[in-house]
Amino acid sequence: GSKDGSIQEVNVSPCPTQPCQLVKGTSYSINVTFSSKIESQGSKAKVYGEMLHVDIPFPIPEPDGCKSGIQCPIQKGHSYSYLNKLPVKSEYPSIKLIVKWELVDDQDQMLFCWKIPVQITS
């Protein structure tokens, strides 16, 4: 689903095996290396928990990609390292789901989109 960019690497840490064991009350580091096929003034992250084909918004503290390691404005043909945190709140249910992470440009088009299976545990 990455239309305006291409992903080179996705790193979720710590996550030695899949599905990632996400422990409640813990934060996980996200690092995505991607190259842009377009120019964009800004970028915004949208994160979802995908369960039974329904996307439930997953709030993150900093949705602004320009404050998450990306040098804005984004330039065509350049590579960027997107860095963010995925906080797992203690009130989340203990379930298996898919985390879907999107980064959109200023036209609301997808710079990148990736999914990872997770298990939320206490």
Side-chain angles (χ1 to χ4, degrees):
S2 310
K3 180 175 176 253
D4 287 350
S6 54
I7 294 178
Q8 283 133 351
E9 188 183 1
V10 175
N11 192 348
V12 179
S13 152
C15 170
T17 58
Q18 288 190 16
C20 287
Q21 300 291 318
L22 301 184
V23 179
K24 294 177 195 182
T26 312
S27 231
Y28 293 80
S29 297
I30 309 296
N31 183 350
V32 182
T33 307
F34 72 101
S35 61
S36 179
K37 297 177 187 169
I38 52 101
E39 295 187 3
S40 178
Q41 289 306 307
S43 61
K44 191 172 135 203
K46 299 178 179 181
V47 184
Y48 304 93
E50 205 176 80
M51 284 180 297
L52 307 169
H53 307 291
V54 178
D55 288 349
I56 293 131
F58 215 87
I60 55 168
E62 185 51 83
D64 187 345
C66 301
K67 294 178 183 167
S68 308
I70 297 173
Q71 181 81 42
C72 291
I74 293 169
Q75 296 180 7
K76 185 177 179 176
H78 284 234
S79 264
Y80 297 93
S81 270
Y82 170 81
L83 308 163
N84 214 323
K85 293 259 181 247
L86 177 65
V88 182
K89 297 184 176 165
S90 41
E91 61 265 25
Y92 287 169
S94 297
I95 46 167
K96 263 191 168 160
L97 65 128
I98 306 282
V99 169
K100 179 164 87 172
W101 200 296
E102 302 174 349
L103 190 73
V104 296
D105 60 26
D106 53 16
Q107 303 298 309
D108 222 29
Q109 296 292 316
M110 207 84 73
L111 278 162
F112 66 66
C113 175
W114 54 272
K115 296 180 181 186
I116 192 163
V118 301
Q119 168 83 58
I120 298 177
T121 61
S122 300

